[in-house]
Protein backbone atom coordinates (compact mmCIF):
# COMPACT_ATOMS: atom_id res chain seq x y z
CA UNK A 1 0.00 0.00 0.00
CA UNK A 2 1.16 3.51 -0.78
CA UNK A 3 0.42 6.15 1.80
CA UNK A 4 -1.60 9.11 0.65
CA UNK A 5 -4.02 7.44 -1.77
CA UNK A 6 -7.78 7.19 -1.80
CA UNK A 7 -10.35 5.78 -4.17
CA UNK A 8 -13.06 8.27 -5.07
CA UNK A 9 -16.56 8.08 -6.51
CA UNK A 10 -18.02 11.35 -7.81
CA UNK A 11 -18.72 10.85 -11.51
CA UNK A 12 -20.92 8.28 -13.21
CA UNK A 13 -17.90 6.57 -14.79
CA UNK A 14 -16.45 5.94 -11.32
CA UNK A 15 -19.15 3.35 -10.60
CA UNK A 16 -17.06 0.72 -12.38
CA UNK A 17 -13.61 2.27 -12.12
CA UNK A 18 -12.95 4.45 -9.06
CA UNK A 19 -10.78 7.52 -9.47
CA UNK A 20 -7.52 7.46 -7.49
CA UNK A 21 -6.67 10.61 -5.54
CA UNK A 22 -3.16 11.22 -4.25
CA UNK A 23 -1.62 14.06 -2.26
CA UNK A 24 -0.49 15.63 -5.53
CA UNK A 25 -4.08 15.50 -6.86
CA UNK A 26 -5.89 17.35 -4.06
CA UNK A 27 -6.21 20.72 -5.80
CA UNK A 28 -7.22 19.14 -9.12
CA UNK A 29 -9.75 16.91 -7.34
CA UNK A 30 -11.42 19.83 -5.52
CA UNK A 31 -11.30 21.95 -8.70
CA UNK A 32 -12.93 19.10 -10.62
CA UNK A 33 -15.79 19.06 -8.13
CA UNK A 34 -16.10 22.85 -8.39
CA UNK A 35 -16.00 22.82 -12.20
CA UNK A 36 -18.32 19.84 -12.61
CA UNK A 37 -22.09 19.78 -12.86
CA UNK A 38 -24.15 20.66 -9.78
CA UNK A 39 -25.50 17.10 -9.84
CA UNK A 40 -21.98 15.78 -9.17
CA UNK A 41 -20.59 18.07 -6.45
CA UNK A 42 -20.17 15.43 -3.72
CA UNK A 43 -17.52 12.70 -3.61
CA UNK A 44 -17.12 9.55 -1.54
CA UNK A 45 -13.52 8.73 -0.61
CA UNK A 46 -12.02 5.61 0.91
CA UNK A 47 -8.37 5.51 1.90
CA UNK A 48 -6.46 2.55 0.46
CA UNK A 49 -4.16 2.81 3.49
CA UNK A 50 -6.79 1.49 5.92
CA UNK A 51 -7.62 -2.20 6.24
CA UNK A 52 -10.85 -3.57 4.82
CA UNK A 53 -13.49 -5.20 6.98
CA UNK A 54 -13.87 -8.98 6.84
CA UNK A 55 -16.71 -8.38 4.36
CA UNK A 56 -14.24 -6.74 1.97
CA UNK A 57 -15.79 -3.28 2.40
CA UNK A 58 -13.93 -0.20 3.72
CA UNK A 59 -14.14 0.49 7.45
CA UNK A 60 -14.74 4.20 6.86
CA UNK A 61 -16.26 6.80 4.53
CA UNK A 62 -15.17 10.37 3.89
CA UNK A 63 -17.59 12.60 1.97
CA UNK A 64 -16.37 15.82 0.34
CA UNK A 65 -18.83 18.28 -1.17
CA UNK A 66 -18.45 21.72 -2.73
CA UNK A 67 -20.85 24.48 -3.73
CA UNK A 68 -19.28 26.51 -6.54
CA UNK A 69 -21.89 29.29 -6.32
CA UNK A 70 -21.32 29.97 -2.61
CA UNK A 71 -17.64 28.86 -2.59
CA UNK A 72 -18.18 26.64 0.45
CA UNK A 73 -18.11 22.93 1.08
CA UNK A 74 -19.10 20.17 3.49
CA UNK A 75 -17.38 17.11 4.91
CA UNK A 76 -18.59 13.96 6.58
CA UNK A 77 -16.53 11.23 8.20
CA UNK A 78 -17.82 7.87 9.33
CA UNK A 79 -16.04 4.93 10.93
CA UNK A 80 -16.51 2.63 13.92
CA UNK A 81 -16.49 5.64 16.27
CA UNK A 82 -19.55 7.21 14.65
CA UNK A 83 -20.69 9.68 12.04
CA UNK A 84 -19.62 13.33 12.09
CA UNK A 85 -20.10 16.30 9.77
CA UNK A 86 -18.11 19.49 9.44
CA UNK A 87 -19.04 22.40 11.67
CA UNK A 88 -19.13 25.76 9.95
CA UNK A 89 -19.23 29.19 11.51
CA UNK A 90 -22.29 30.63 9.74
CA UNK A 91 -25.71 29.43 10.78
CA UNK A 92 -27.79 28.69 7.71
CA UNK A 93 -31.54 28.22 7.66
CA UNK A 94 -32.45 24.68 6.68
CA UNK A 95 -30.22 21.97 5.33
CA UNK A 96 -27.58 22.18 2.60
CA UNK A 97 -28.08 19.84 -0.37
CA UNK A 98 -25.17 18.25 -2.23
CA UNK A 99 -25.33 15.63 -5.00
CA UNK A 100 -23.39 12.44 -5.62
CA UNK A 101 -24.02 11.43 -9.22
CA UNK A 102 -27.51 12.95 -9.05
CA UNK A 103 -28.42 11.51 -5.64
CA UNK A 104 -29.16 14.20 -3.06
CA UNK A 105 -27.52 14.19 0.36
CA UNK A 106 -28.58 16.79 2.90
CA UNK A 107 -26.17 18.23 5.44
CA UNK A 108 -27.03 20.30 8.52
CA UNK A 109 -27.25 24.04 7.84
CA UNK A 110 -24.21 24.82 10.00
CA UNK A 111 -21.94 22.33 8.23
CA UNK A 112 -20.56 24.47 5.41
CA UNK A 113 -16.91 25.53 5.57
CA UNK A 114 -14.55 27.40 3.25
CA UNK A 115 -13.11 25.72 0.15
CA UNK A 116 -9.63 26.32 1.59
CA UNK A 117 -10.57 24.21 4.64
CA UNK A 118 -12.04 21.52 2.37
CA UNK A 119 -8.71 21.31 0.52
CA UNK A 120 -6.77 21.21 3.80
CA UNK A 121 -9.00 18.44 5.20
CA UNK A 122 -8.68 16.29 2.07
CA UNK A 123 -4.90 16.68 2.24
CA UNK A 124 -4.90 15.68 5.91
CA UNK A 125 -7.14 12.67 5.20
CA UNK A 126 -4.64 11.46 2.61
CA UNK A 127 -1.46 12.15 4.58
CA UNK A 128 -2.83 10.56 7.77
CA UNK A 129 -3.61 7.24 6.04
CA UNK A 130 -7.35 7.85 6.12
CA UNK A 131 -7.89 9.23 9.59
CA UNK A 132 -10.55 11.86 10.38
CA UNK A 133 -9.03 15.30 9.70
CA UNK A 134 -8.35 17.42 12.78
CA UNK A 135 -7.95 20.74 10.93
CA UNK A 136 -11.68 21.46 11.17
CA UNK A 137 -14.33 21.26 13.87
CA UNK A 138 -16.86 18.41 13.73
CA UNK A 139 -20.42 17.97 14.93
CA UNK A 140 -22.76 15.04 15.37
CA UNK A 141 -25.71 15.46 13.03
CA UNK A 142 -29.07 15.43 14.81
CA UNK A 143 -30.70 13.37 12.08
CA UNK A 144 -28.89 11.65 9.27
Amino acid sequence: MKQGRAEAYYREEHAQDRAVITVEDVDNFVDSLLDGPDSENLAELHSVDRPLLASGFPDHEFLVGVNKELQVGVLSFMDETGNLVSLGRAAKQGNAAYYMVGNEREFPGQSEISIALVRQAVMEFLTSAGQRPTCIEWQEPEVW
Side-chain angles (χ1 to χ4, degrees):
M1 283 189 274
K2 292 183 179 181
Q3 189 171 13
R5 290 171 33 118
E7 292 184 343
Y9 172 68
Y10 60 101
R11 299 283 185 256
E12 214 171 301
E13 61 266 20
H14 299 150
Q16 299 301 319
D17 188 22
R18 300 283 194 234
V20 176
I21 309 297
T22 66
V23 172
E24 293 80 20
D25 300 323
V26 170
D27 285 332
N28 288 337
F29 162 68
V30 174
D31 290 345
S32 177
L33 286 174
L34 285 167
D35 295 338
D38 291 339
S39 62
E40 295 180 339
N41 66 356
L42 180 65
E44 176 185 273
L45 277 69
H46 297 110
S47 172
V48 299
D49 299 319
R50 289 179 64 139
L52 297 175
L53 298 170
S55 63
F57 289 100
D59 70 343
H60 67 290
E61 177 181 85
F62 185 48
L63 299 181
V64 178
V66 299
N67 180 318
K68 64 183 163 193
E69 181 181 327
L70 301 176
Q71 288 295 295
V72 295
V74 292
L75 302 170
S76 170
F77 187 84
M78 180 175 51
D79 67 5
E80 74 279 353
T81 64
N83 187 17
L84 299 171
V85 295
S86 48
L87 176 61
R89 303 244 180 256
K92 177 181 175 182
Q93 295 295 328
N95 292 332
Y98 288 78
Y99 299 87
M100 186 180 311
V101 190
N103 296 305
E104 181 177 312
R105 274 290 211 13
E106 287 190 347
F107 290 80
Q110 197 174 1
S111 61
E112 293 180 311
I113 60 175
S114 71
I115 295 297
L117 278 175
V118 169
R119 291 179 196 277
Q120 186 178 347
V122 173
M123 181 67 76
E124 185 177 340
F125 174 75
L126 291 168
T127 59
S128 70
Q131 299 303 304
R132 179 172 49 91
T134 59
C135 63
I136 66 160
E137 293 182 59
W138 295 92
Q139 63 180 320
E140 287 186 35
E142 289 180 26
V143 179
W144 214 34

